[in-house]
């Protein structure tokens, strides 16, 4: 497989950066090719705005991002950084997004990567999405660290519900057609000042997280994706059909 790891962390020597390093080593040992896309070191600009579009009619008094993305995609004039990211995605069998949970979501640089790179008219449209999405046949997964301990993420716990926090990202990846693998979540990764544990216990915890990650990566290519509803499950208004197998799963 060809694996792309998209890293969204401002410090390359962070634990998140370390998870990238062990993933690269393990995946290459297993015979895969790996590319790392470090958004901060590339200074990826996450802000979708008119300045990215060289051919935008500057006299126009309304900037409509969807139209700009579609038109520039069709004319082959997308911003260079977006074009580069799209070329990277063409090569992949699996994309891993590595990031810390910040305010119950991905860091802004990664949110902006979705805003700018998943181009309307090129990578999705009303007819090309979900199980008819552009990237179908390719896999994606999230590798996330969170500061709060795992127990605090239990239902109605202090840290909230991890499945809910990750749902918008999973849903977006599925929207553009990816098979989404279950996330790899490392809890209790306290970064800088906040400490729930003494130092030695913390270091043991970090090492254990790396080992779990490495052993999961050994067979990552054969994992089954998270089940999502698809076009056959919805009626013309997008409502889940009574006959959908997913309805029985949720019941
Ligand atoms: C801006 C910011 C927001 C954060 N929000 C959360 C949060 O919502 N939930 C949580 O459990 N941890 C939160 N944290 C803690 C980080 O998830 C934690 O520091 C990180 O996973 C540690 O990984 P690192 O050592 O690679 O930075 C936040 C940290 C920062 C800097």
């Amino acid at each position: 497989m060809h694996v792309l790891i998209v890293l969204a962390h401002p410090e390359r020597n962070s634990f998140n950066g370390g998870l990238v390093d062990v993933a690269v080593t393990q995946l290459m040992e297993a015979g895969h090719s790996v590319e790392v896309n470090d958004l901060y070191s590339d200074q990826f600009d996450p802000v979708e705005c008119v300045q990215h579009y060289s051919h935008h009619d500057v006299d126009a008094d309304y900037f409509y991002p969807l139209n700009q993305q579609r038109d520039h995609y069709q004319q082959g004039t997308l911003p260079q950084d977006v074009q580069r990211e799209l070329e990277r995605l063409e090569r992949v069998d699996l994309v891993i997004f590595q990031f810390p949970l910040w305010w119950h979501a991905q860091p802004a640089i990664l949110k902006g990567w979705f805003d700018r790179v998943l181009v309307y008219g090129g990578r999705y449209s009303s007819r090309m999405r979900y199980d008819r999405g552009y990237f179908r046949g390719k896999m994606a997964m999230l590798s996330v660290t969170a500061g709060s301990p795992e127990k605090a993420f239990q239902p109605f716990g202090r840290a909230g519900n991890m499945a809910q926090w990750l749902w918008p990202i999973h849903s977006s990846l599925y929207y553009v057609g990816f098979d989404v693998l279950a996330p790899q979540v490392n809890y209790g990764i306290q970064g800088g000042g906040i400490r729930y544990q003494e130092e030695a216990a913390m270091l043991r915890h970090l090492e254990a997280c790396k080992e779990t990650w490495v052993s999961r990566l050994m067979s990552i290519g054969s994992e089954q994706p998270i089940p999502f509803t698809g076009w056959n499950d919805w009626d013309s208004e997008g409502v889940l059909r009574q006959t959908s197998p997913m309805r029985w799963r949720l019941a």
Side-chain angles (χ1 to χ4, degrees), residues 9 14-17 100-104 145-148 153 159 189-192:
H9 197 293
S14 61
F15 184 65
N16 272 264
L101 194 72
W102 280 5
W103 291 112
H104 316 114
T145 65
S148 298
F153 283 95
I189 311 297
Q190 292 137 28

Side-chain angles (χ1 to χ4, degrees), residues 177-189:
F178 282 105
D179 285 333
V180 182
L181 302 184
Q184 182 74 18
V185 185
N186 290 301
Y187 299 96
I189 311 297

Side-chain angles (χ1 to χ4, degrees), residues 104 147-161 165 188 190 194 196:
H104 316 114
S148 298
E150 183 165 8
K151 280 189 174 167
F153 283 95
Q154 287 178 7
F156 303 106
R158 187 179 67 221
N161 182 333
W165 302 146
Q190 292 137 28
I194 306 169
Y196 298 106

Side-chain angles (χ1 to χ4, degrees), residues 134-182:
Y134 181 88
F135 292 107
R136 64 193 181 283
K138 296 178 188 281
M139 297 180 287
M141 74 172 290
L142 310 182
S143 175
V144 186
T145 65
S148 298
E150 183 165 8
K151 280 189 174 167
F153 283 95
Q154 287 178 7
F156 303 106
R158 187 179 67 221
N161 182 333
M162 184 59 82
Q164 280 177 349
W165 302 146
L166 300 184
W167 167 250
I169 320 176
H170 283 156
S171 190
S172 302
L173 290 167
Y174 173 57
Y175 191 89
V176 293
F178 282 105
D179 285 333
V180 182
L181 302 184

